[in-house]
Amino acid sequence: MNTKYDYPKIGIRPIIDGRLGGVRESLEEITMKLAQAVADLYTLELKYPNGEPVQYVIADTCIGGVKEASDCAKKFRANNVGISISVTPCWCYGTETMDMDPHLPKAIWGFNGTERPGAVYLAATLAAHNQKGLPAFGIYGRDVQDLDNMTISEDVKQKLLVFAKAGMAVAIMRDKSYLSIGSVSMGIVGSNVDSNFFQEYLGMRNEYVDSTEILRRVEQDIYDSEEYIIALNWTKKYCYEGKDFNEESLQISREQKDKDWEFVVKMTLIIRDLMIGNSKLKEKGFGEESYGHNALISGFQGQRQWTDFLPNGDFAEAILNSSFDWNGKRNPFMVATENDSLNAVSMLFNYLLTNSAQIFADVRTYWSPEAVERVTGWKPDGDSQFGFLHLSNSGSCTLDGTGQQEKEGEPIMKPFWDINEEEVIKCLESTTWYPANRGYFRGGGYSSQYLTRGGMPVTMCRINIIKGLGPVLQIAEGKTITLPENVHKILDERTDKTWPTTWFVPKLNNTKSFRDVYAVMSHWGSNHGAISYGHIGHELIALASILRIPVSMHNVEEERIFRPSAWNGFGNDSEGSDYRACNTYGPLYK
């Protein structure tokens, strides 16, 4: 079952010198070809979360003045355009042709050719955007090209793609919902949902249901009964139950364990239906329930009021966060443990940039080389020589996080449409479902346990809200690592051997937050992080700039950072100018 959304389109604005009588006529064909080249690039390289190629809309005519700019804006509004990219090979009239929509993420590509001054238009119109308070990304190729060369150079291509990924993420979020199932979990402030943040910065709604809604639907059979049978049989076949490590006095009967399996499968169906709806419910007479909450992300409180007497949400969260279930491969759902709405948003940022599943984890422990050697007798070397972070939570992680998907023999986390059936089975076979630790979860349930394969480039991020400042984003690029088996066992079992583990090493540099691995742990702003495959820190920085969220720590190389040109006017220091620009412009939807 793939979520159905009317995804926004990319709007392409071919900008031209409006002087008729020779100048405009000589440029009409080449300007449209330039627009089409950008459209072809996006169609080839970018996909929506459902796997379909992104759609684009090109203005009906080249835009040489305000009338054509207005006509283009009307077409964009009528066709659900979510971002705009203006392209030109020549000089044009800046303020007469610019995109004036304050909510559309926007960029301008001024072709670097000497025959016509596209770069001059770029500079003039970026100045207009900056003066009018409508930030835009500026794209300018490093090397001069001939005017008839429609090849998009590699540096321009990368900027076009970074802008489009970030802009489309912003557009997809808009008018969707965060669904809070329950309330605050164990005093975790991220589950104290800040509706102003969602409304003003993300353009999203907030929806709320009490946890008892899940129990009501379980007891009153408000789920697809036929799908439930399929789901339960699939679970029995592919979800392998491990040993019960609870003290004998806390262990429950086989009969109760089987009932717990039935319950957590129903929970999975119900949380999904709460998010996106299910037409099958209407057929059963539950019309209101069939609609869902238009939720792009959700969170489940769980602890403690629920988990003190009912099976935990680990199975439901892990399966929903994965790229497959009993219906086959499908787009993952973003479901936050402990209703941590800010980590849900962090997962969402990563997901919309990559279309791949996300690991939700506690940033639990920094292991120094000295501590590792003291505890295990092994002295860390290679990637682990400066220590590492233990990322682990109570079994709610995506099963994609096992690292059992591959590309050219290397572990990877793929968009669902690239995953093959053998990889699905490997992910399932690498996961053991242990009866939940009843010290934490008195009501029982099951927690997933696996070890993430080493060697994957990953990016961890986290949104935090600072009183008086607002939201800030943290980013740490790095890689997963493999420890010697006995070392992993000793360290892992000091926490909980029934939970998944990812060993993570961040990239280090000479900044205060990344001078060593300890500094990363010390500067991390909360107990949770969202971990994505790939080094996508530069894309997160672009996304944050569109939303006016400053980046408080990152280890992205300066040459990869891409923000709207207006940021250059706020000072030479990259971090400081980011804070000043975001403060000046304020949230996108204020």
Side-chain angles (χ1 to χ4, degrees):
M1 177 184 292
N2 293 329
T3 50
K4 301 291 185 182
Y5 292 123
D6 180 18
Y7 288 112
K9 301 177 180 66
I10 297 176
I12 302 175
R13 309 173 73 250
I15 311 296
I16 199 167
D17 189 324
R19 287 174 284 199
L20 287 167
V23 176
R24 175 164 182 159
E25 291 87 345
S26 69
L27 293 165
E28 289 278 5
E29 182 178 357
I30 196 167
T31 303
M32 272 298 183
K33 282 184 177 179
L34 200 63
Q36 189 61 53
V38 172
D40 292 343
L41 171 69
Y42 286 151
T43 302
L44 178 66
E45 296 284 348
L46 301 180
K47 288 182 169 60
Y48 292 123
N50 65 0
E52 297 177 358
V54 297
Q55 297 182 28
Y56 62 86
V57 175
I58 299 179
D60 291 332
T61 66
C62 290
I63 299 169
V66 66
K67 172 62 168 60
E68 288 162 322
S70 178
D71 290 343
C72 175
K74 291 176 184 176
K75 182 175 183 178
F76 282 7
R77 286 192 293 269
N79 286 274
N80 191 28
V81 164
I83 69 172
S84 81
I85 172 74
S86 300
V87 300
T88 185
C90 60
W91 165 254
C92 318
Y93 302 163
T95 58
E96 296 181 18
T97 59
M98 63 189 288
D99 174 10
M100 295 288 288
D101 189 320
H103 290 153
L104 279 188
K106 49 185 63 65
I108 304 171
W109 174 27
F111 185 82
N112 186 4
T114 54
E115 294 91 336
R116 297 284 184 173
V120 177
Y121 172 79
L122 172 66
T125 310
L126 287 176
H129 276 282
N130 297 343
Q131 187 167 327
K132 292 177 179 293
L134 299 169
F137 290 77
I139 300 172
Y140 176 56
R142 176 174 293 273
D143 299 315
V144 172
Q145 294 179 239
D146 297 331
L147 190 60
D148 60 355
N149 181 0
M150 290 292 99
T151 302
I152 301 177
S153 62
E154 188 61 29
D155 60 329
V156 169
K157 174 182 175 181
Q158 292 306 313
K159 288 186 174 181
L160 285 169
L161 290 175
V162 169
F163 162 71
K165 286 182 181 181
M168 288 298 282
V170 170
I172 290 172
M173 283 188 281
R174 188 176 181 182
D175 293 329
K176 303 302 187 302
S177 302
Y178 174 79
L179 174 63
S180 176
I181 304 173
S183 185
V184 178
S185 174
M186 302 184 297
I188 294 172
V189 74
S191 56
N192 189 351
V193 181
D194 187 333
S195 60
N196 289 330
F197 163 66
F198 279 90
Q199 177 184 330
E200 295 180 2
Y201 282 90
L202 309 181
M204 294 180 66
R205 295 172 178 265
N206 293 95
E207 291 284 294
Y208 309 86
V209 298
D210 192 86
S211 302
T212 55
E213 176 63 8
I214 293 177
L215 189 58
R216 180 181 80 93
R217 294 193 183 203
V218 168
E219 293 185 353
Q220 297 183 11
D221 295 335
I222 307 176
Y223 51 85
D224 184 341
S225 302
E226 294 180 359
E227 185 183 1
Y228 164 66
I229 298 300
I230 295 170
L232 184 62
N233 289 335
W234 179 89
T235 300
K236 290 178 178 178
K237 182 176 181 181
Y238 292 111
C239 297
Y240 308 105
E241 183 178 325
K243 179 181 177 180
D244 191 340
F245 288 112
N246 288 291
E247 296 179 12
E248 190 171 344
S249 62
L250 294 177
Q251 293 184 15
I252 58 178
S253 66
R254 180 69 259 167
E255 179 183 10
Q256 185 58 51
K257 288 178 180 177
D258 291 340
K259 288 182 178 178
D260 281 1
W261 275 119
E262 294 172 2
F263 192 94
V264 298
V265 170
K266 291 175 183 177
M267 280 183 68
T268 309
L269 294 170
I270 289 166
I271 292 175
R272 182 203 64 196
D273 292 350
L274 283 166
M275 290 181 69
I276 65 170
N278 189 339
S279 60
K280 293 289 186 180
L281 302 185
K282 189 171 185 179
E283 296 173 12
K284 294 183 71 171
F286 299 101
E288 183 180 356
E289 291 85 346
S290 71
Y291 293 129
H293 291 268
N294 195 37
L296 196 57
I297 45 177
S298 70
F300 176 61
Q301 174 191 340
Q303 298 185 78
R304 283 188 41 206
Q305 288 77 12
W306 177 276
T307 56
D308 274 1
F309 84 113
L310 289 168
N312 64 16
D314 285 6
F315 178 82
E317 293 163 8
I319 294 299
L320 288 169
N321 280 326
S322 299
S323 300
F324 47 83
D325 60 18
W326 42 86
N327 291 316
K329 298 178 294 178
R330 46 108 176 114
N331 51 296
F333 296 83
M334 299 295 109
V335 184
T337 298
E338 295 155 350
N339 197 28
D340 186 349
S341 63
L342 296 181
N343 215 55
V345 171
S346 305
M347 290 201 302
L348 180 62
F349 285 1
N350 289 345
Y351 169 57
L352 292 177
L353 292 171
T354 65
N355 288 325
S356 61
Q358 300 299 310
I359 295 174
F360 181 113
D362 279 348
V363 185
R364 182 167 285 269
T365 308
Y366 162 66
W367 277 102
S368 68
E370 295 77 14
V372 173
E373 187 172 15
R374 177 182 63 82
V375 170
T376 70
W378 174 73
K379 184 176 182 179
D381 55 18
D383 290 329
S384 64
Q385 63 181 308
F386 302 117
F388 44 84
L389 301 183
H390 186 191
L391 309 180
S392 181
N393 204 8
S394 59
S396 59
C397 274
T398 171
L399 303 194
D400 300 60
T402 57
Q404 294 300 318
Q405 300 157 23
E406 291 187 350
K407 182 177 182 180
E408 298 177 352
E410 297 296 324
I412 188 174
M413 293 168 65
K414 302 177 182 178
F416 76 88
W417 55 84
D418 285 336
I419 301 171
N420 61 50
E421 294 300 330
E422 181 181 358
E423 291 169 332
V424 170
I425 299 302
K426 285 183 177 179
C427 290
L428 290 163
E429 289 178 343
S430 299
T431 305
T432 302
W433 297 91
Y434 288 101
N437 182 334
R438 292 173 68 83
Y440 290 107
F441 306 112
R442 298 172 184 173
Y446 293 92
S447 295
S448 64
Q449 187 276 331
Y450 63 73
L451 173 62
T452 300
R453 288 175 66 187
M456 288 198 295
V458 294
T459 302
M460 182 167 71
C461 81
R462 168 75 189 188
I463 283 279
N464 298 297
I465 295 178
I466 311 298
K467 186 175 178 61
L469 174 62
V472 296
L473 179 65
Q474 297 179 298
I475 300 167
E477 294 185 338
K479 66 187 297 186
T480 63
I481 62 170
T482 300
L483 301 180
E485 186 175 351
N486 65 311
V487 175
H488 159 73
K489 188 174 188 296
I490 292 170
L491 300 185
D492 192 46
E493 292 186 2
R494 289 173 69 98
T495 299
D496 194 304
K497 56 188 172 184
T498 68
W499 297 350
T501 278
T502 303
W503 301 111
F504 172 66
V505 173
K507 297 184 330 189
L508 302 179
N509 56 38
N510 60 2
T511 63
K512 69 174 184 177
S513 300
F514 291 93
R515 63 178 178 267
D516 54 33
V517 181
Y518 171 79
V520 177
M521 180 74 179
S522 180
H523 284 89
W524 203 250
S526 187
N527 55 311
H528 292 149
I531 298 91
S532 179
Y533 178 83
H535 286 168
I536 60 168
H538 59 305
E539 295 173 358
L540 284 166
I541 288 172
L543 169 58
S545 69
I546 296 173
L547 297 171
R548 321 292 192 249
I549 297 173
V551 179
S552 62
M553 66 177 273
H554 72 82
N555 56 350
V556 179
E557 296 80 2
E558 187 70 26
E559 60 269 19
R560 294 169 56 209
I561 295 175
F562 189 34
R563 290 184 171 115
S565 70
W567 268 239
N568 297 327
F570 288 88
N572 289 327
D573 58 319
S574 179
E575 184 176 79
S577 65
D578 183 33
Y579 272 83
R580 290 185 286 272
C582 290
N583 180 65
T584 297
Y585 291 115
L588 183 59
Y589 304 105
K590 63 182 178 181

